[in-house]
C-alpha cells in the first residue's frame, strides 16, 4: 500500500504524466487555475483586500461615533466618499463655517451591516479557512492537490461572484443592505424595496437593491463554502500520504477538518433561510413577516401596512441564521488556532502539549457549537426551559475552548522561544483570545445578557476573539508561510513595527468598549450616543474618542503590513533553503515555491507532527518524512 | 490508484464482475421488490390521509399518551410511513446497508443535527414566557 | 500529476473520492432541506389555523408524480447494475427511462400543477368583517356538533375566511383579471396614480404609458380611463371618490357559470376548497375587508403557498440538475457513454454517484408529498 501511495504522490514525475509537461498560459495558471496553491493565494489576496475594505468602513463609522453626526470629515475625504457612495450614505454638514460631508445615520446602518458581513464572510473565512486551508493543508498531508481541483476552482469563482454582488450593492439606489450583518426581518424583508413598503411591481428594482443583493451574495458565498468544505474533508480523508495516520496529522489539518464539517452542516440552513428571505423580498411571501406589521418610514409617514399576507415569523430567521452563525464563530477561530499551533510548535522548538486533548476538544467544540445557537436570542422572549437548555450548553462549550487555550499556553513552557514576527503574533494571540473568550462567559447567562445585549460589551467580547484573535493568527500565518509561497521572508523590522503598533492600538480600540458596554452604551448609536446622552454617564461617551483614535492608529499600522507584503515579493530576504524555519511538517519538504503537483520525491510519513528537540537527535527538529534509522528508502515507483 | 492503471487492467475487472454475475439477478430482484414496496406504501399513505383517526377510539387513546390530538394523529402516522419509505430507499437503493463507517459517521451527525433543528424549533416554539402573550399572535 | 483514488477506492478507507464527496454533499443537502422543513414546521405551527389550508393540491396528480419518481429511482439503479454487468445496451435503455421520468415529473409540475395555482384566485376576509360575506364563506354549513370545523388540525372554533375561485379572463375588459390580483390601494397611493403620465404631453405616449405593465404592477391597477379622468384639472372630488371606491373593490362573477358550467354543490368537496364558495351571481369584495396578499395562488397569498412553491421549486431544480447529469452520461460523448469503452469503472462510478443524488431527490419528495398534498 505504501508503495502505491508513493507512486501517486510522485505521479507528476512520470514520463507519461499529463498536464504538467506543457506550460499553462497566464489565464489558466493564475486566474482560472485548478492548482490548490494558486486558489489559496487567490482567496487570501481577495480576503485581505476585503478585510481592509471592511476595516475602512469601520474607520469612517468611528468618525461619526466620536464626533457626533454633524462634523464634516477632514479635508477632501468627505467629498471623495460622497462621490463614491452617494447621497444616501454621506450627507452635507456644516460646522463652525466649515462645509463638508459626513456619514449619515442611514449610511451608518449601511456601513455597520456591510462591515460585519464583509469581515466575517468575505474577510476572515476566505483567508483563514479557504486561503490558508487551500494552500497549506494539502501540502501538510503530502497530497498532490485537492481531491477535486475543478470543484475547488468552482468554489473560488462562486465566492468571487458573491464578492461582485456585495461590492455592487453599494452602487444601487438606496445603497447596500442596512439591516445589520444579521439581516433580521421584518426590517430585512422590507428595507430598500423600491417604492418603499407597498410595491412589488418594479421587476428590476426588487432585484437591484441592497437587501436583495446581500441575499444573492450570501447564496453564492454559501454555495462556494459548501463546495469548498466537501473538497477539504474528502482531501483530508482520502489524500493523506502513506504513513500520515490520523494521529500524525498536523493540528492545523485537524482544525481545517473540523471547520469544514461545521461549514458543511451549519451553512445549508442559512442558505435555505436566505432563499426564503429572497422569496419575501422578490415574490412578496411572508416567511418572516408577521401578521399585522405596520411600518413608519423615517418617523414621518403614517403607519403604512406592508403588502404581506402575514402569518410568518421573524424568529424563524433568527433560528436559522444563528444555527449557522454560532458554528460560524468557531469557523472563524478554529483555523486561527490551527495556525497558531503550528507556529508555536515551530518557534518554541518543542512538541505541542496535549495534542490528543486538543483534537478531542475540537470534536467536543464542534459538536456543542451546533446546540448553543439560541444564546444569541435571549431577547426574543424565550421561555425558561429553552433558555436554561441553551445556557447550559453555552457554559459547557467554554470547557473545550479553555482546553485549547491552556494546551497552547503550556506549550510555551520551557521552550527556547524564537521571537520572530509570526511568533510575536502567535504569543499575543493567546491572552487576547483569552480575554475575548472569558468575557463571553457572563453573556451566556440569560439574566446578564438581557442587560448586555447589543451593547459595546458584546462588541468588545467578540472583537477580542476575532480581531486580535483570528486576524492576528492570519497575520502570523502570512509571515510564517510567506517564505514557502514566494521564496522570500517578509521584512522582520517592518513586521515588528506592524506587530507592536497593532497590539497597542487594538487594545486601545477594544478595551474601553467593555467599560462602555457595562455602562449601557448601545452598539447602534450612530452619533456616538448624543441622542441618548442623558441615559449614560458622560465619561463613557467620551471614551468614544479614545476608541476612535485606537481604530485609526490600527489602520495606520496596517499600511506597514500592506507595504511589507508587496515589497517583500521583490526585495525580501531570500530564504536559505526550502525549510527556513526548521519545521517538521511536510509542507516544508517541497521545492520553493511548490510546483504544480507539489512534491518531487515520494512522501512517506514516519512520525508525529511535532518532533522538535527529540533527545538524542542530532538536529533540534526531525521532519515527519525522515525515516527512523535503519529504514530502507521507499522503493522507486513501479510501472 | 490512478485512472491510468484502472484503464490498463479493466479486463481483470470484468473477470471479477463475471464471478459476481450470479448474484446480479438477485440484486435486481431486491430492487424490484423495494420499488414495489415503495409503490404500495405510497398508496397506503394516500389512503391513510382519508381516514379520520381522530374518530377512532383506539387511536385517540393511544396518541393521547404522547400528547398528540386531532388531525395531528394523521400527521404523525403519515410521517411514520414516510420515514419507513425513506429507510427503504436509504438502505437498499443508496446501499447504506453495506456502507463503510466513513460514510456513516458524518451521516449520523447530520441526522442528529437535523433532528435537533426540528425538535428544538418545536421546543422553542412551545415554550413561551409564562404569563406572556405568545409572540405570533 | 494525477489525483489518487478518483476511480478506485483507497484501501484503508474503502472509498473512492467521488463517493465520499457525494455523500458529504448529500449531508449538506439534508441540512438544506432540513432548514426548509424546519421553516415549514414553524410556519404551520405559527399560522393562524384558518390560514393554513388543506386539500389545495390535486392528490391524484401528486400520487402519479410520486410513482414516476419512485419508478425512476428503480430504473437508475438498474442502469447502474447493467453497467456493472458491462451491458451498455441495457444501461442506455434504463438511463434513458430515468431521464424521461425526470422530465415527465418536471413537465407535470411546471405545465399543470403550478399553472393550476396561478389560474386560481384567493382572498382572506378579515375576521372582524367575516359576517359580511357569510353566504360566500359558508361557515354555517360547516358547523359540526355545534362547533365550527375548519379542516385544519380540527382546531375548533375558527371560521373559514377564505374565498377562492378560478381566474377568468374577460376579453372585453383586460383589467378585470388584474384587478383581482393587486393589493389593497391605500388612499395615500392615489397621489401616485395621479402623478402617472401627468408630465407627458404627447397623447400617444401618454396612452402608451398608461397601458404599460408598470401601471398595473406598481400595485395600483386602474383603468386608463380612470387615470385620464384623474389627470383632468380641476379634479372633481366626487369623481375621485368614485374611482377610489372602484379601485378598492373586486367584482366576483359566478365563476363556474363564467366557465360555462352550472355550479354543482356536490362538487364542493371539503378536500378541494378552491371550488367557488358562493352562489351570488355577482359578489363584490371590498379590498379593505381583505388581508394583504390576495390574488392568484402564488407565494404571496399565504405561508402555505410560500413554503409549497419554495420547497417544490428547489426540489424541481434538483430534478432538473439530475436530468442534465443523466443525459450527459447517456450521450455518446467523452464524459458520457463513450467512457464505457475506455474506463467503464469510471462511468460506473459516475452513475453510482449521480444515482445517489437522484435517490436523495426521491427521498425528499417522499416527505414533500404527504406534508403538502395529504396532511
Amino acid at each position: 500500500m505504501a508503495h502505491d501511495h508513493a507512486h501517486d504522490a510522485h505521479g507528476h514525475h512520470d514520463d507519461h504524466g499529463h498536464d504538467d509537461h506543457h506550460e499553462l498560459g497566464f489565464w489558466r495558471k493564475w486566474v482560472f487555475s485548478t492548482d490548490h496553491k494558486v486558489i489559496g493565494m487567490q482567496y487570501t489576496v481577495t480576503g485581505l483586500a476585503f478585510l481592509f475594505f471592511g476595516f475602512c468602513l469601520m474607520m469612517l463609522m468611528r468618525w461619526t461615533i466620536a464626533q457626533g453626526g454633524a462634523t464634516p470629515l477632514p479635508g477632501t475625504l468627505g467629498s471623495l466618499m460622497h462621490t463614491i457612495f452617494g447621497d444616501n450614505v454621506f450627507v452635507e454638514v456644516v460646522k463652525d463655517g466649515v462645509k463638508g460631508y459626513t456619514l449619515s445615520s442611514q449610511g451608518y446602518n449601511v456601513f455597520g451591516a456591510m462591515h460585519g458581513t464583509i469581515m466575517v464572510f468575505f474577510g476572515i473565512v476566505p483567508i483563514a479557512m479557504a486561503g490558508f486551508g487551500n494552500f497549506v493543508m494539502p501540502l501538510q498531508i503530502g497530497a498532490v492537490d485537492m481531491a477535486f481541483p475543478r470543484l475547488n476552482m468552482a468554489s473560488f469563482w462562486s465566492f468571487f461572484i458573491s464578492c461582485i454582488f456585495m461590492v455592487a450593492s453599494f452602487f444601487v439606489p438606496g445603497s447596500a443592505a442596512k439591516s445589520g450583518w444579521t439581516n433580521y426581518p421584518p426590517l430585512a424583508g422590507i428595507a430598500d424595496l423600491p417604492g418603499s413598503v407597498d410595491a412589488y411591481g418594479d421587476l428590476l428594482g426588487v432585484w437591484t437593491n441592497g437587501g436583495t443583493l446581500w441575499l444573492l451574495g450570501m447564496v453564492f458565498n454559501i454555495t462556494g463554502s459548501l463546495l469548498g468544505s466537501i473538497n477539504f474533508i474528502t482531501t483530508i480523508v482520502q489524500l493523506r500520504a502513506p504513513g500520515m495516520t490520523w494521529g500524525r496529522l498536523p493540528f492545523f489539518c485537524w482544525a481545517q477538518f473540523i471547520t469544514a464539517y461545521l461549514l458543511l452542516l451549519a451553512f445549508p440552513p442559512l442558505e435555505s433561510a436566505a432563499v426564503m428571505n429572497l422569496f419575501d423580498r422578490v415574490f412578496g411571501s411572508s416567511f418572516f413577516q408577521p401578521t399585522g406589521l405596520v411600518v413608519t418610514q423615517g418617523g414621518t409617514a403614517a403607519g403604512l401596512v406592508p403588502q404581506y399576507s402575514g402569518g410568518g415569523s421573524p424568529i424563524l430567521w433568527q433560528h436559522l441564521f444563528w444555527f449557522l452563525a454560532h458554528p460560524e464563530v468557531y469557523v472563524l477561530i478554529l483555523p486561527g488556532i490551527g495556525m497558531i499551533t503550528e507556529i508555536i510548535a515551530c518557534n518554541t522548538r518543542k512538541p505541542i502539549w496535549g495534542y490528543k486533548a486538543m483534537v478531542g476538544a475540537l470534536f467536543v467544540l464542534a459538536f456543542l457549537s451546533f446546540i448553543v445557537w439560541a444564546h444569541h436570542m435571549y431577547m426574543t422572549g424565550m421561555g425558561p426551559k429553552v433558555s436554561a437548555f441553551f445556557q447550559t450548553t453555552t457554559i459547557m462549550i467554554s470547557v473545550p475552548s479553555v482546553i485549547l487555550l491552556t494546551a497552547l499556553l503550556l506549550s510555551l513552557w520551557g521552550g527556547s522561544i524564537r521571537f520572530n514576527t509570526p511568533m510575536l503574533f502567535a504569543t499575543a494571540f493567546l491572552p487576547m483570545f483569552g480575554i475575548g473568550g472569558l468575557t463571553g462567559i457572563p453573556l451566556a447567562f440569560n439574566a446578564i445578557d438581557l442587560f448586555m445585549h447589543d451593547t459595546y460589551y458584546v462588541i468588545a467580547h467578540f472583537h477580542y476573539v476575532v480581531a486580535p484573535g483570528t486576524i492576528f493568527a492570519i497575520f502570523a500565518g502570512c509571515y510564517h508561510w510567506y517564505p514557502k509561497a514566494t521564496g522570500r521572508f517578509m521584512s522582520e523590522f517592518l513586521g515588528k513595527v506592524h506587530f507592536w503598533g497593532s497590539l497597542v492600538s487594538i487594545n486601545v480600540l477594544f478595551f474601553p468598549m467593555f467599560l462602555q458596554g457595562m455602562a449601557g452604551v448601545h452598539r447602534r448609536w450612530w452619533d456616538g450616543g448624543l441622542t441618548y446622552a442623558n441615559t449614560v454617564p458622560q465619561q463613557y461617551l467620551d471614551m468614544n474618542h479614545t476608541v476612535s483614535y485606537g481604530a485609526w492608529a490600527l489602520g495606520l499600522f496596517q499600511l506597514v503590513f500592506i507595504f511589507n507584503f508587496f515589497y517583500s515579493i521583490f526585495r525580501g530576504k531570500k530564504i536559505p533553503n526550502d525549510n527556513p524555519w526548521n519545521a517538521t511538517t511536510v509542507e516544508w519538504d517541497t521545492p520553493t515555491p511548490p510546483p504544480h503537483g507539489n512534491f518531487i520525491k515520494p512522501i512517506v510519513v514516519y512520525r508525529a507532527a511535532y518532533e522538535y528537540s527529540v533527545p538524542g537527535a542530532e538536529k533540534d527538529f526531525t521532519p515527519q518524512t525522515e525515516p527512523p534509522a535503519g529504514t530502507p528508502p521507499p522503493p522507486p515507483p513501479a510501472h | 490508484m490512478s485512472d491510468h492503471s484502472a484503464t490498463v487492467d479493466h479486463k481483470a475487472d470484468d473477470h471479477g464482475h463475471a464471478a459476481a454475475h450470479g448474484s446480479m439477478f438477485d440484486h435486481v430482484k431486491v430492487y424490484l421488490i423495494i420499488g414495489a414496496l415503495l409503490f404500495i406504501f405510497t398508496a397506503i399513505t394516500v389512503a391513510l390521509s382519508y381516514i379520520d383517526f381522530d374518530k377512532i377510539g383506539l387511536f385517540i387513546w393511544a396518541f393521547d399518551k404522547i400528547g398528540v390530538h386531532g388531525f395531528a394523529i394523521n400527521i404523525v402516522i403519515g410521517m411514520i410511513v414516510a420515514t419507513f419509505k425513506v429507510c427503504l430507499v436509504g438502505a437498499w437503493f443508496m446501499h447504506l446497508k453495506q456502507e463503510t463507517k466513513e460514510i456513516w459517521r458524518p451521516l449520523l451527525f447530520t441526522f442528529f443535527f437535523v433532528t435537533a433543528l426540528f425538535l428544538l424549533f418545536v421546543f422553542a416554539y412551545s415554550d413561551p414566557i409564562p404569563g406572556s402573550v405568545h409572540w405570533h399572535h | 500529476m494525477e489525483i489518487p483514488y478518483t476511480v478506485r477506492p483507497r484501501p484503508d478507507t474503502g472509498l473512492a473520492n467521488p463517493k465520499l464527496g457525494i455523500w458529504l454533499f448529500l449531508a449538506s443537502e439534508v441540512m438544506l432541506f432540513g432548514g426548509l422543513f424546519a421553516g415549514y414546521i414553524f410556519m404551520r405551527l405559527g399560522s393562524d389555523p384558518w390560514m393554513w389550508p388543506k386539500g389545495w393540491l390535486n392528490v391524484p396528480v401528486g400520487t402519479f408524480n410520486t410513482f414516476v419518481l419512485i419508478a425512476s429511482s428503480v430504473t437508475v439503479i438498474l442502469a447502474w447494475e447493467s453497467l456493472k454487468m458491462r451491458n451498455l445496451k441495457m444501461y442506455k435503455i434504463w438511463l434513458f427511462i430515468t431521464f424521461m421520468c425526470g422530465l415527465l415529473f418536471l413537465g407535470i409540475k411546471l405545465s399543470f400543477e403550478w399553472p393550476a395555482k396561478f389560474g386560481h384566485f384567493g382572498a382572506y376576509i378579515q375576521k372582524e368583517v367575516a359576517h359580511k360575506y357569510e353566504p360566500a364563506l359558508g361557515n354555517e354549513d360547516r358547523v359540526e356538533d355545534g362547533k365550527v370545523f375548519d379542516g385544519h388540525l380540527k382546531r375548533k372554533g375558527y371560521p373559514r375566511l377564505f374565498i377562492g375561485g378560478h381566474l377568468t379572463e374577460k376579453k372585453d375588459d383586460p383589467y378585470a383579471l388584474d384587478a383581482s390580483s393587486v393589493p389593497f390601494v391605500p388612499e395615500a397611493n392615489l397621489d401616485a396614480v395621479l402623478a402617472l403620465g401627468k408630465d407627458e404631453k404627447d397623447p400617444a405616449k401618454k396612452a402608451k404609458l398608461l397601458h404599460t405593465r408598470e401601471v398595473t404592477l406598481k400595485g395600483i391597477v386602474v383603468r386608463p380611463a380612470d387615470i385620464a379622468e384623474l389627470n383632468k384639472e380641476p379634479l372633481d372630488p366626487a369623481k375621485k371618490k368614485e374611482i377610489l371606491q372602484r379601485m378598492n373593490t373586486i367584482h366576483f362573477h359566478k365563476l363556474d357559470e363564467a366557465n360555462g358550467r352550472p355550479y354543482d354543490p356536490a362538487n364542493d368537496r371539503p378536500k378541494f376548497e378552491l371550488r367557488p364558495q358562493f352562489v351570488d351571481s355577482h359578489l363584490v369584495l371590498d379590498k379593505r375587508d381583505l388581508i394583504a396578499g390576495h390574488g392568484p395562488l402564488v407565494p404571496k397569498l399565504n405561508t402555505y403557498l410560500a413554503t409549497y412553491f419554495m420547497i417544490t421549486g428547489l426540489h424541481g431544480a434538483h430534478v432538473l440538475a439530475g436530468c442534465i447529469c443523466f443525459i450527459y452520461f447517456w450521450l455518446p460523448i467523452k464524459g458520457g457513454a463513450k467512457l464505457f469503452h475506455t474506463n467503464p469503472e469510471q462511468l460506473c462510478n459516475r452513475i453510482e454517484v449521480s444515482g445517489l443524488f437522484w435517490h436523495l431527490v426521491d427521498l425528499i419528495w417522499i416527505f414533500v408529498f404527504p406534508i403538502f398534498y395529504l396532511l
Side-chain angles (χ1 to χ4, degrees):
Chain A
M1 186 189 121
H3 167 101
D4 272 1
H5 285 257
H7 172 191
D8 292 331
H10 199 183
H12 70 282
H13 221 44
D14 302 346
D15 289 333
H16 59 272
H18 301 297
D19 37 10
D20 54 316
H21 281 281
H22 53 89
E23 271 299 305
L24 294 169
F26 171 81
W27 288 95
R28 286 297 307 279
K29 194 172 175 191
W30 291 110
V31 182
F32 297 102
S33 173
T34 55
D35 184 349
H36 71 97
K37 298 178 292 295
V38 177
I39 293 174
M41 287 190 271
Q42 286 175 323
Y43 264 120
T44 309
V45 172
T46 320
L48 283 171
F50 267 102
L51 212 56
F52 189 67
F53 177 50
F55 186 57
C56 289
L57 297 182
M58 193 277 276
M59 287 196 284
L60 287 165
M61 287 160 70
R62 284 308 319 176
W63 176 266
T64 347
I65 296 171
Q67 305 287 343
T71 314
L73 280 162
T76 52
L77 184 61
S79 54
L80 178 68
M81 290 296 126
H82 176 256
T83 317
I84 298 174
F85 291 106
D87 287 332
N88 253 11
V89 182
F90 282 88
V91 286
E92 196 174 55
V93 285
V94 183
K95 193 180 183 188
D96 303 334
V98 184
K99 233 165 110 175
Y101 291 94
T102 191
L103 201 60
S104 67
S105 56
Q106 214 36 264
Y108 179 88
N109 290 340
V110 172
F111 278 20
M114 295 311 279
H115 167 74
T117 308
I118 285 173
M119 289 310 221
V120 171
F121 296 109
F122 294 83
I124 293 175
V125 177
I127 303 173
M129 162 86 192
F132 281 94
N134 254 312
F135 189 92
V136 178
M137 184 272 287
L139 292 174
Q140 276 195 336
I141 63 172
V144 289
D145 204 319
M146 297 290 266
F148 309 113
R150 274 178 293 182
L151 192 68
N152 205 9
M153 183 171 88
S155 318
F156 175 74
W157 287 103
S158 182
F159 164 69
F160 195 80
I161 292 172
S162 76
C163 295
I164 291 173
F165 276 123
M166 282 297 165
V167 174
S169 74
F170 279 98
F171 305 105
V172 294
S175 199
K178 41 183 84 69
S179 337
W181 81 281
T182 50
N183 207 43
Y184 276 0
L187 185 57
I190 52 178
D192 297 331
L193 279 178
S196 72
V197 290
D198 53 0
Y200 280 97
D202 189 348
L203 286 181
L204 186 64
V206 290
W207 289 96
T208 52
N209 59 69
T212 310
L213 287 177
W214 189 93
L215 290 165
L216 283 173
M218 285 313 292
V219 168
F220 279 95
N221 187 307
I222 294 169
T223 309
S225 290
L226 286 176
L227 299 180
S229 54
I230 290 169
N231 217 340
F232 274 51
I233 298 171
T234 312
T235 307
I236 295 176
V237 173
Q238 291 287 98
L239 301 193
R240 280 167 294 123
M244 180 62 89
T245 57
W246 289 103
R248 290 172 181 169
L249 203 61
F251 188 74
F252 177 72
C253 296
W254 271 116
Q256 290 289 338
F257 184 66
I258 297 295
T259 309
Y261 263 115
L262 290 180
L263 281 180
L264 183 79
L265 298 182
F267 244 142
L270 182 64
E271 182 148 27
S272 49
V275 175
M276 287 186 217
N277 207 342
L278 264 181
F279 256 61
D280 278 5
R281 291 185 68 89
V282 177
F283 301 120
S285 62
S286 298
F287 284 108
F288 305 126
Q289 305 300 326
T291 307
L293 182 67
V294 174
V295 179
T296 57
Q297 276 193 303
T300 51
L304 293 170
V305 181
Q307 289 305 309
Y308 285 108
S309 64
S313 160
I315 305 294
L316 173 64
W317 168 270
Q318 296 197 21
H319 275 301
L320 291 172
F321 181 85
W322 288 113
F323 188 85
L324 154 84
H326 197 81
E328 177 79 11
V329 173
Y330 297 96
V331 171
L332 297 176
I333 194 68
L334 290 183
I337 291 185
M339 289 190 254
I340 293 299
T341 310
E342 298 297 311
I343 290 160
I344 284 184
C346 177
N347 289 307
T348 52
R349 316 304 295 163
K350 63 190 277 281
I352 281 297
W353 188 88
Y355 170 86
K356 278 187 186 165
M358 285 178 78
V359 173
L362 273 186
F363 274 91
V364 177
L365 198 70
F367 181 81
L368 285 177
S369 75
F370 278 97
I371 47 173
V372 296
W373 79 82
H375 67 216
H376 298 269
M377 299 164 54
Y378 289 144
M379 287 287 274
T380 57
M382 186 181 284
K385 286 186 226 118
V386 175
S387 75
F389 175 83
F390 284 108
Q391 285 179 57
T392 314
T393 50
T394 308
I395 293 303
M396 277 159 69
I397 206 168
S398 64
V399 175
S401 318
V402 169
I403 290 176
L404 289 174
L405 188 61
T406 314
L408 288 174
L409 272 174
L410 285 175
S411 299
L412 299 176
W413 184 265
S416 65
I417 301 177
R418 185 168 65 190
F419 276 117
N420 49 21
T421 314
M423 187 59 189
L424 285 174
F425 275 106
T427 320
F429 170 93
L430 301 175
M432 296 292 112
F433 175 65
I435 293 173
L438 293 176
T439 50
I441 292 178
L443 292 176
F445 295 99
N446 191 326
I448 301 174
D449 184 76
L450 291 185
F451 174 70
M452 296 289 204
H453 190 90
D454 264 357
T455 63
Y456 269 96
Y457 183 90
V458 179
I459 304 276
H461 152 64
F462 71 75
H463 277 88
Y464 260 101
V465 176
V466 288
T470 306
I471 294 179
F472 270 23
I474 287 172
F475 285 139
C478 283
Y479 287 103
H480 185 69
W481 279 293
Y482 194 89
K484 183 43 64 185
T486 62
R488 291 170 191 268
F489 290 106
M490 285 176 84
S491 159
E492 271 293 299
F493 171 72
L494 292 177
K496 279 177 181 153
V497 171
H498 175 217
F499 168 71
W500 288 110
S502 299
L503 182 68
V504 172
S505 50
I506 212 163
N507 279 293
V508 174
L509 166 55
F510 291 124
F511 198 79
M513 288 187 183
F514 282 124
L515 310 176
Q516 287 188 304
M518 284 187 274
V521 179
H522 193 274
R523 68 193 288 192
R524 305 209 196 278
W525 289 348
W526 75 286
D527 56 1
L530 280 186
T531 317
Y532 300 90
N534 51 355
T535 63
V536 174
Q538 186 59 34
Q539 69 260 36
Y540 293 104
L541 295 183
D542 290 343
M543 284 179 185
N544 281 331
H545 292 275
T546 323
V547 170
S548 291
Y549 284 124
W552 299 324
L554 184 63
L556 218 55
F557 284 110
Q558 302 323 302
L559 298 179
V560 179
F561 173 74
I562 295 171
F563 174 75
N564 195 355
F565 193 85
F566 290 106
Y567 174 81
S568 302
I569 295 177
F570 307 105
R571 296 287 169 82
K573 200 176 89 184
K574 281 198 173 159
I575 54 170
N577 56 45
D578 286 335
N579 187 0
W581 305 119
N582 291 339
T584 54
T585 41
V586 181
E587 81 265 31
W588 303 100
D589 261 340
T590 64
T592 309
H596 196 45
N598 296 346
F599 299 98
I600 53 169
K601 59 176 184 179
I603 292 296
V604 182
V605 173
Y606 295 100
R607 51 189 79 243
Y610 308 108
E611 301 226 337
Y612 290 101
S613 309
V614 180
E618 52 191 72
K619 295 173 293 182
D620 74 339
F621 69 104
T622 321
Q624 285 189 281
T625 50
E626 189 167 303
T631 312
H639 299 294
Chain B
M1 266 299 182
S2 59
D3 301 6
H4 175 82
S5 42
T7 318
V8 172
D9 49 33
H10 82 258
K11 286 235 155 59
D13 237 42
D14 287 350
H15 269 289
H17 281 291
H21 279 180
S23 60
M24 282 298 162
F25 295 103
D26 296 344
H27 285 187
V28 171
K29 215 167 98 186
V30 171
Y31 296 140
L32 291 177
I33 290 172
I34 300 297
L37 277 177
L38 289 172
F39 271 81
I40 293 167
F41 276 97
T42 304
I44 290 176
T45 315
V46 177
L48 287 178
S49 76
Y50 284 91
I51 298 172
D52 196 350
F53 286 105
D54 199 26
K55 293 243 171 65
I56 303 172
L58 178 66
F59 284 92
I60 298 174
W61 174 80
F63 279 87
D64 188 55
K65 301 274 175 228
I66 54 168
V68 174
H69 307 280
F71 191 69
I73 300 178
N74 273 42
I75 296 177
V76 171
I77 291 174
M79 286 300 101
I80 290 171
V81 177
T83 311
F84 177 71
K85 283 163 70 184
V86 162
C87 291
L88 289 182
V89 174
W92 275 280
F93 285 177
M94 300 172 95
H95 305 118
L96 275 177
K97 242 167 63 98
Q98 61 252 34
E99 210 44 271
T100 60
K101 61 183 189 303
E102 270 76 10
I103 299 290
W104 268 104
R105 255 188 235 136
L107 283 185
L108 284 179
F109 279 105
T110 313
F111 293 144
F112 177 81
F113 291 132
V114 101
T115 319
L117 198 64
F118 292 158
L119 290 185
L120 284 172
F121 274 32
V122 176
F123 189 33
Y125 176 86
S126 60
D127 181 37
I129 295 176
S132 74
V133 180
H134 207 313
W135 50 261
H136 82 274
H137 282 305
Chain C
M1 182 193 82
E2 281 170 17
I3 311 289
Y5 316 120
T6 49
V7 179
R8 298 297 192 77
R10 175 176 164 132
D12 58 344
T13 59
L15 292 169
N17 300 344
K19 194 159 173 190
L20 181 59
I22 196 73
W23 271 110
L24 292 169
F25 179 69
L26 296 190
S28 82
E29 289 281 51
V30 168
M31 293 307 289
L32 177 76
F33 279 92
L36 298 177
F37 285 131
Y40 172 91
I41 294 174
F42 233 62
M43 292 294 103
R44 185 159 184 174
L45 287 175
S47 74
D48 282 319
W50 45 266
M51 237 185 140
W52 193 269
K54 192 177 154 234
W56 276 17
L57 302 175
N58 191 330
V59 176
V61 174
T63 313
F64 178 74
N65 246 351
T66 312
F67 286 149
V68 169
L69 216 51
I70 291 174
S72 74
S73 250
V74 178
T75 55
V76 76
I77 205 157
L78 293 178
W80 179 65
E81 282 289 340
S82 316
L83 207 54
K84 281 187 89 172
M85 288 188 274
R86 300 289 183 265
N87 186 339
L88 184 62
K89 197 178 142 216
M90 287 315 287
Y91 156 73
K92 292 198 82 166
I93 292 174
W94 287 126
L95 197 65
F96 190 71
I97 296 177
T98 314
F99 170 73
M100 290 312 287
C101 283
L103 280 195
L104 180 62
F105 179 90
L106 277 182
I108 291 173
K109 183 116 274 178
L110 295 179
S111 70
F112 177 73
E113 290 198 274
W114 280 18
K117 294 288 146 293
F118 303 149
H120 279 104
F121 173 84
Y124 286 100
I125 311 289
Q126 291 186 8
K127 229 185 288 184
E128 295 72 22
V129 291
H131 56 90
K132 279 164 65 179
Y133 301 94
E134 178 45 37
L137 293 170
N139 279 321
E140 273 164 17
D141 303 342
R142 296 160 65 83
V143 174
E144 204 174 76
D145 305 330
K147 283 171 185 164
V148 174
F149 163 77
D150 78 319
H152 172 88
L153 299 179
K154 287 195 184 160
R155 290 190 204 173
K156 305 287 197 293
Y158 288 95
R160 180 154 73 178
L161 298 170
F162 182 77
I163 287 182
H166 292 281
L167 272 179
T168 316
E169 192 164 6
K170 288 173 54 200
K171 292 282 174 291
D172 52 330
D173 187 1
Y175 288 89
L177 183 141
D178 283 323
S180 60
S181 67
V182 295
F184 163 64
V185 184
E187 185 143 10
N189 280 6
L190 193 61
D191 295 332
V193 177
L194 287 171
L196 278 170
K198 202 156 200 180
D199 301 327
E200 189 54 68
K201 294 282 177 283
D202 183 357
K205 275 191 187 162
K206 189 165 186 164
K208 200 178 168 195
L209 180 70
L210 297 180
H211 278 87
T212 48
R213 221 177 132 80
E214 207 177 348
V215 178
T216 49
L217 288 176
K218 275 285 184 198
I220 308 144
V221 175
V222 259
R223 294 173 176 78
D226 287 345
I227 299 177
E229 191 68 46
L230 289 169
N231 276 329
K232 266 185 200 157
E233 291 195 39
L235 178 61
D236 178 9
K239 201 87 184 166
K240 178 176 170 180
K241 198 178 168 197
E242 183 206 315
I243 292 172
L244 187 66
Q245 199 163 19
R246 189 157 71 237
M247 282 158 65
N248 279 332
T249 55
I250 296 174
H251 291 265
F252 257 90
H253 299 276
K254 194 174 170 187
L255 293 174
D256 268 12
E257 258 179 19
N259 286 344
R261 293 195 304 271
Y263 173 68
D264 177 12
N267 231 351
D268 187 9
R269 289 181 295 143
K271 276 273 170 192
F272 288 90
E273 295 187 11
L274 279 180
R275 293 283 155 182
Q277 309 298 334
F278 43 88
V279 288
D280 290 311
S281 61
H282 198 75
L283 182 77
V284 179
L285 302 179
D286 189 332
K287 283 188 188 172
R288 280 162 291 199
D289 290 343
L290 308 180
I291 68 165
H294 57 270
L297 302 198
V298 292
K300 208 172 167 178
L301 185 67
N302 60 20
T303 50
Y304 168 83
L305 286 169
T307 29
Y308 165 72
F309 278 108
M310 189 184 56
I311 292 185
T312 55
L314 271 176
H315 180 265
H318 281 74
V319 175
L320 183 66
C323 285
I324 292 171
C325 288
F326 289 142
I327 200 67
Y328 181 79
F329 297 143
W330 182 82
L331 288 171
I333 47 178
K334 201 176 143 212
K338 261 193 188 167
L339 200 59
F340 182 80
H341 304 294
T342 54
N343 194 345
E345 196 55 33
Q346 191 174 14
L347 185 61
C348 208
N349 278 357
R350 286 185 174 187
I351 295 303
E352 185 186 10
V353 161
S354 51
L356 281 171
F357 173 75
W358 194 251
H359 293 312
L360 185 89
V361 173
D362 182 24
L363 198 145
I364 288 163
W365 184 257
I366 287 177
F367 281 116
V368 171
F369 174 60
I371 63 173
F372 285 110
Y373 287 76
L374 303 174
L375 300 171

